[in-house]
Amino acid sequence: MKNIYKGTVCYKDLKDMICGLAKSYGDSPAFKYNRDGKKYEVSYNSFKRDIEYLATYLMNNGYEGKKIAVVGENSYEWVVTYFAVVNSGNILLPIDKELKSNEINVLLNQSDTDLLIYSPQKQKMLDEIKEEGTNVQEFLCMSEFDGLYQKGKELLDSGDTKYASYEVDPYKMCLIIYTSGTTGSPKGVMLSHNNLVKDAFLSISVMKIPRDTVVVLPFNHTFGFMAGVLCQLWMGYSIFINNSLKTIVKDINEAKPGHISVV
């Protein structure tokens, strides 16, 4: 099946997608964001390397076939977590950052989550979860990622091939998305690599999307991540990450996006 917009075949899984994107778009900017008064820009090549570093670290610490939750505001580290987890044979659970700690704890225990990755801004939530009692065995803060990237790099430089040699099963569950719970308790929706790449492939096949975007919707929402990240990366576009609605107008004026996805 040909992609009528890009003229390319569909990637077989998200790991294949990341490798293909780095080859196609190389040093072109994949992500842009502001933090602590500084402007950051990450190329497709650098994005691929960060995923490899974090995935290698996780696999060397026994994380393969495990359930790993992520909670926090939209950030570059959130996206790296997503791909590093699902591309290394683990299952990701994106958690709504607006949930209360006891609500998050219910989802973590219900899903038998092994590791929780969280943003520095959610430290209070983490402390409350630990105080309440949780079955989660390990916690990682995104503020530690620079160190984890370095550890992953050292493993790769020493000849570690766990991640490079890992073959993704495109039909195996890699993602559990929890519904909003509007009409009842949240339900876990199970998705595979095949579900995700086919959705992105077909979406960009039928829509002509102006280049570059500012991501406003939360990454833990299926539509937010699909429209704001997966489809944009597939097209080789640049993604400006907005992590607070307080700065959305400023971010739009700075990034001058071709389009924005909203609900």
Side-chain angles (χ1 to χ4, degrees), residues 112-147:
D112 294 324
T113 290
D114 299 283
L115 168 66
L116 173 62
I117 297 177
Y118 64 98
S119 70
Q121 289 78 6
K122 304 306 291 184
Q123 184 63 52
K124 181 180 177 182
M125 171 275 300
L126 180 70
D127 294 340
E128 291 173 349
I129 286 176
K130 287 182 176 180
E131 187 175 336
E132 293 165 7
T134 178
N135 296 331
V136 178
Q137 297 298 308
E138 189 173 358
F139 307 88
L140 279 178
C141 183
M142 293 177 189
S143 63
E144 302 175 46
F145 272 23
D146 284 345

Short mmCIF file of all heavy atoms in Angstrom, two decimals, residues 112-147:
data_model
loop_
_atom_site.label_atom_id
_atom_site.label_comp_id
_atom_site.label_asym_id
_atom_site.label_seq_id
_atom_site.Cartn_x
_atom_site.Cartn_y
_atom_site.Cartn_z
N ASP A 112 -0.47 -3.43 37.36
CA ASP A 112 0.78 -4.09 37.79
C ASP A 112 2.00 -3.40 37.20
O ASP A 112 2.93 -4.05 36.69
CB ASP A 112 0.78 -5.57 37.39
CG ASP A 112 -0.27 -6.38 38.14
OD1 ASP A 112 -0.50 -6.09 39.32
OD2 ASP A 112 -0.86 -7.28 37.53
N THR A 113 2.01 -2.08 37.27
CA THR A 113 3.13 -1.30 36.75
C THR A 113 4.40 -1.59 37.56
O THR A 113 4.38 -1.63 38.78
CB THR A 113 2.79 0.20 36.81
OG1 THR A 113 1.78 0.49 35.85
CG2 THR A 113 4.01 1.05 36.49
N ASP A 114 5.51 -1.76 36.83
CA ASP A 114 6.79 -2.06 37.47
C ASP A 114 7.61 -0.81 37.73
O ASP A 114 8.35 -0.74 38.72
CB ASP A 114 7.61 -2.99 36.56
CG ASP A 114 6.91 -4.32 36.32
OD1 ASP A 114 6.95 -5.16 37.23
OD2 ASP A 114 6.32 -4.50 35.23
N LEU A 115 7.52 0.17 36.84
CA LEU A 115 8.34 1.38 36.93
C LEU A 115 7.50 2.60 36.59
O LEU A 115 6.71 2.57 35.63
CB LEU A 115 9.52 1.27 35.94
CG LEU A 115 10.34 2.54 35.67
CD1 LEU A 115 11.09 2.98 36.92
CD2 LEU A 115 11.31 2.30 34.51
N LEU A 116 7.66 3.66 37.38
CA LEU A 116 6.98 4.93 37.10
C LEU A 116 8.03 5.98 36.76
O LEU A 116 8.93 6.24 37.57
CB LEU A 116 6.15 5.38 38.30
CG LEU A 116 5.51 6.77 38.19
CD1 LEU A 116 4.53 6.84 37.02
CD2 LEU A 116 4.82 7.17 39.50
N ILE A 117 7.92 6.57 35.57
CA ILE A 117 8.78 7.66 35.15
C ILE A 117 7.96 8.94 35.26
O ILE A 117 6.86 9.02 34.72
CB ILE A 117 9.29 7.45 33.72
CG1 ILE A 117 10.16 6.17 33.66
CG2 ILE A 117 10.10 8.66 33.25
CD1 ILE A 117 10.66 5.83 32.28
N TYR A 118 8.50 9.95 35.95
CA TYR A 118 7.71 11.15 36.22
C TYR A 118 8.55 12.40 36.01
O TYR A 118 9.78 12.37 36.03
CB TYR A 118 7.17 11.11 37.65
CG TYR A 118 8.24 11.14 38.72
CD1 TYR A 118 8.59 12.32 39.36
CD2 TYR A 118 8.93 9.97 39.06
CE1 TYR A 118 9.59 12.35 40.33
CE2 TYR A 118 9.93 9.99 40.03
CZ TYR A 118 10.26 11.18 40.66
OH TYR A 118 11.24 11.21 41.60
N SER A 119 7.87 13.51 35.80
CA SER A 119 8.55 14.79 35.61
C SER A 119 8.84 15.41 36.98
O SER A 119 8.17 15.09 37.97
CB SER A 119 7.69 15.75 34.78
OG SER A 119 6.56 16.17 35.53
N PRO A 120 9.84 16.30 37.08
CA PRO A 120 10.16 16.93 38.37
C PRO A 120 8.96 17.65 38.98
O PRO A 120 8.84 17.71 40.21
CB PRO A 120 11.27 17.93 38.01
CG PRO A 120 11.89 17.38 36.77
CD PRO A 120 10.77 16.73 36.01
N GLN A 121 8.08 18.17 38.14
CA GLN A 121 6.91 18.90 38.63
C GLN A 121 5.91 17.99 39.36
O GLN A 121 5.02 18.48 40.04
CB GLN A 121 6.21 19.62 37.48
CG GLN A 121 6.97 20.81 36.91
CD GLN A 121 8.11 20.41 36.00
OE1 GLN A 121 8.28 19.24 35.68
NE2 GLN A 121 8.90 21.38 35.57
N LYS A 122 6.06 16.68 39.21
CA LYS A 122 5.12 15.74 39.84
C LYS A 122 5.72 15.08 41.07
O LYS A 122 5.24 14.05 41.52
CB LYS A 122 4.69 14.67 38.83
CG LYS A 122 4.09 15.22 37.54
CD LYS A 122 2.93 16.17 37.78
CE LYS A 122 1.71 15.50 38.33
NZ LYS A 122 0.57 16.43 38.47
N GLN A 123 6.75 15.68 41.64
CA GLN A 123 7.40 15.09 42.80
C GLN A 123 6.44 14.98 43.98
O GLN A 123 6.45 13.97 44.70
CB GLN A 123 8.61 15.93 43.21
CG GLN A 123 9.43 15.34 44.36
CD GLN A 123 10.03 14.00 44.03
OE1 GLN A 123 10.71 13.85 43.02
NE2 GLN A 123 9.81 13.01 44.89
N LYS A 124 5.62 16.01 44.21
CA LYS A 124 4.66 15.95 45.31
C LYS A 124 3.68 14.80 45.11
O LYS A 124 3.35 14.08 46.07
CB LYS A 124 3.89 17.27 45.41
CG LYS A 124 2.88 17.30 46.56
CD LYS A 124 2.13 18.63 46.60
CE LYS A 124 1.09 18.62 47.72
NZ LYS A 124 0.30 19.87 47.76
N MET A 125 3.23 14.61 43.87
CA MET A 125 2.33 13.50 43.56
C MET A 125 3.00 12.17 43.88
O MET A 125 2.39 11.27 44.46
CB MET A 125 1.96 13.56 42.07
CG MET A 125 1.19 12.36 41.52
SD MET A 125 2.24 10.96 40.98
CE MET A 125 3.23 11.72 39.73
N LEU A 126 4.28 12.06 43.53
CA LEU A 126 5.01 10.82 43.80
C LEU A 126 5.11 10.54 45.29
O LEU A 126 4.89 9.41 45.74
CB LEU A 126 6.41 10.89 43.18
CG LEU A 126 7.26 9.64 43.40
CD1 LEU A 126 6.72 8.48 42.59
CD2 LEU A 126 8.71 9.91 43.06
N ASP A 127 5.41 11.57 46.05
CA ASP A 127 5.52 11.42 47.50
C ASP A 127 4.19 10.95 48.09
O ASP A 127 4.17 10.10 49.00
CB ASP A 127 5.94 12.75 48.14
CG ASP A 127 7.36 13.16 47.75
OD1 ASP A 127 8.13 12.29 47.32
OD2 ASP A 127 7.66 14.37 47.86
N GLU A 128 3.09 11.47 47.59
CA GLU A 128 1.76 11.08 48.08
C GLU A 128 1.46 9.63 47.72
O GLU A 128 0.88 8.89 48.52
CB GLU A 128 0.70 12.01 47.49
CG GLU A 128 0.78 13.43 48.02
CD GLU A 128 -0.18 14.39 47.31
OE1 GLU A 128 -0.74 13.98 46.26
OE2 GLU A 128 -0.35 15.53 47.79
N ILE A 129 1.86 9.22 46.52
CA ILE A 129 1.64 7.84 46.08
C ILE A 129 2.41 6.87 46.98
O ILE A 129 1.90 5.84 47.41
CB ILE A 129 2.06 7.66 44.60
CG1 ILE A 129 1.02 8.30 43.68
CG2 ILE A 129 2.23 6.18 44.26
CD1 ILE A 129 1.40 8.26 42.22
N LYS A 130 3.66 7.21 47.28
CA LYS A 130 4.48 6.36 48.15
C LYS A 130 3.88 6.29 49.55
O LYS A 130 3.88 5.24 50.20
CB LYS A 130 5.90 6.90 48.22
CG LYS A 130 6.71 6.69 46.94
CD LYS A 130 8.13 7.21 47.12
CE LYS A 130 8.99 6.93 45.91
NZ LYS A 130 10.38 7.43 46.07
N GLU A 131 3.35 7.42 50.03
CA GLU A 131 2.75 7.47 51.36
C GLU A 131 1.50 6.61 51.44
O GLU A 131 1.23 5.95 52.45
CB GLU A 131 2.42 8.92 51.72
CG GLU A 131 1.96 9.11 53.15
CD GLU A 131 1.75 10.56 53.51
OE1 GLU A 131 2.37 11.43 52.86
OE2 GLU A 131 0.96 10.82 54.43
N GLU A 132 0.73 6.61 50.34
CA GLU A 132 -0.50 5.81 50.30
C GLU A 132 -0.18 4.32 50.21
O GLU A 132 -0.97 3.48 50.65
CB GLU A 132 -1.34 6.21 49.08
CG GLU A 132 -1.91 7.62 49.15
CD GLU A 132 -2.43 8.11 47.81
OE1 GLU A 132 -2.46 7.30 46.86
OE2 GLU A 132 -2.79 9.30 47.71
N GLY A 133 0.96 4.00 49.63
CA GLY A 133 1.32 2.60 49.42
C GLY A 133 1.04 2.19 47.99
O GLY A 133 -0.08 2.39 47.49
N THR A 134 2.05 1.65 47.33
CA THR A 134 1.89 1.27 45.93
C THR A 134 2.69 0.02 45.63
O THR A 134 3.67 -0.30 46.34
CB THR A 134 2.38 2.41 44.99
OG1 THR A 134 2.25 2.01 43.63
CG2 THR A 134 3.83 2.77 45.28
N ASN A 135 2.27 -0.70 44.60
CA ASN A 135 2.97 -1.93 44.20
C ASN A 135 4.13 -1.64 43.26
O ASN A 135 4.90 -2.55 42.93
CB ASN A 135 1.99 -2.89 43.51
CG ASN A 135 0.90 -3.37 44.46
OD1 ASN A 135 1.12 -3.45 45.67
ND2 ASN A 135 -0.27 -3.67 43.92
N VAL A 136 4.27 -0.40 42.81
CA VAL A 136 5.35 -0.03 41.90
C VAL A 136 6.69 -0.20 42.63
O VAL A 136 6.86 0.26 43.76
CB VAL A 136 5.20 1.43 41.40
CG1 VAL A 136 6.36 1.80 40.49
CG2 VAL A 136 3.88 1.59 40.67
N GLN A 137 7.65 -0.84 41.96
CA GLN A 137 8.92 -1.17 42.59
C GLN A 137 9.99 -0.09 42.43
O GLN A 137 10.87 0.06 43.26
CB GLN A 137 9.45 -2.49 42.02
CG GLN A 137 8.56 -3.68 42.29
CD GLN A 137 8.39 -3.95 43.77
OE1 GLN A 137 9.37 -4.06 44.51
NE2 GLN A 137 7.15 -4.03 44.23
N GLU A 138 9.92 0.67 41.32
CA GLU A 138 10.99 1.63 41.05
C GLU A 138 10.43 2.91 40.46
O GLU A 138 9.40 2.90 39.77
CB GLU A 138 12.02 1.02 40.09
CG GLU A 138 13.28 1.87 39.94
CD GLU A 138 14.35 1.17 39.11
OE1 GLU A 138 14.13 0.02 38.69
OE2 GLU A 138 15.40 1.79 38.89
N PHE A 139 11.12 4.02 40.70
CA PHE A 139 10.70 5.33 40.21
C PHE A 139 11.90 6.04 39.59
O PHE A 139 13.01 5.98 40.10
CB PHE A 139 10.15 6.17 41.36
CG PHE A 139 9.06 5.48 42.15
CD1 PHE A 139 9.39 4.67 43.23
CD2 PHE A 139 7.74 5.62 41.79
CE1 PHE A 139 8.40 4.02 43.96
CE2 PHE A 139 6.74 4.98 42.51
CZ PHE A 139 7.06 4.17 43.58
N LEU A 140 11.65 6.72 38.47
CA LEU A 140 12.71 7.48 37.80
C LEU A 140 12.18 8.87 37.48
O LEU A 140 11.10 9.02 36.91
CB LEU A 140 13.14 6.81 36.50
CG LEU A 140 14.12 5.65 36.57
CD1 LEU A 140 14.37 5.10 35.17
CD2 LEU A 140 15.43 6.09 37.22
N CYS A 141 12.95 9.89 37.85
CA CYS A 141 12.57 11.26 37.52
C CYS A 141 13.24 11.67 36.21
O CYS A 141 14.41 11.34 35.97
CB CYS A 141 12.99 12.21 38.64
SG CYS A 141 12.46 13.92 38.36
N MET A 142 12.52 12.38 35.38
CA MET A 142 13.07 12.81 34.09
C MET A 142 14.27 13.73 34.24
O MET A 142 15.06 13.88 33.31
CB MET A 142 11.98 13.51 33.27
CG MET A 142 10.86 12.60 32.82
SD MET A 142 9.56 13.48 31.94
CE MET A 142 8.31 12.20 31.79
N SER A 143 14.42 14.32 35.43
CA SER A 143 15.59 15.17 35.67
C SER A 143 16.88 14.35 35.67
O SER A 143 17.98 14.91 35.57
CB SER A 143 15.45 15.91 37.00
OG SER A 143 15.39 14.99 38.09
N GLU A 144 16.76 13.03 35.78
CA GLU A 144 17.92 12.14 35.78
C GLU A 144 18.32 11.69 34.37
O GLU A 144 19.30 10.97 34.21
CB GLU A 144 17.61 10.89 36.61
CG GLU A 144 17.24 11.15 38.07
CD GLU A 144 16.85 9.87 38.77
OE1 GLU A 144 17.56 8.86 38.63
OE2 GLU A 144 15.80 9.87 39.45
N PHE A 145 17.57 12.11 33.36
CA PHE A 145 17.77 11.55 32.03
C PHE A 145 19.15 11.80 31.44
O PHE A 145 19.68 10.94 30.74
CB PHE A 145 16.68 12.05 31.07
CG PHE A 145 15.44 11.19 31.07
CD1 PHE A 145 15.13 10.39 32.15
CD2 PHE A 145 14.58 11.19 29.98
CE1 PHE A 145 13.98 9.61 32.16
CE2 PHE A 145 13.44 10.39 29.97
CZ PHE A 145 13.15 9.60 31.07
N ASP A 146 19.73 12.95 31.68
CA ASP A 146 21.06 13.20 31.13
C ASP A 146 22.05 12.14 31.61
O ASP A 146 22.87 11.65 30.83
CB ASP A 146 21.55 14.60 31.52
CG ASP A 146 20.89 15.71 30.71
OD1 ASP A 146 20.27 15.38 29.67
OD2 ASP A 146 20.96 16.88 31.12
N GLY A 147 21.96 11.79 32.87
CA GLY A 147 22.82 10.75 33.42
C GLY A 147 22.51 9.38 32.84
O GLY A 147 23.42 8.58 32.59
#
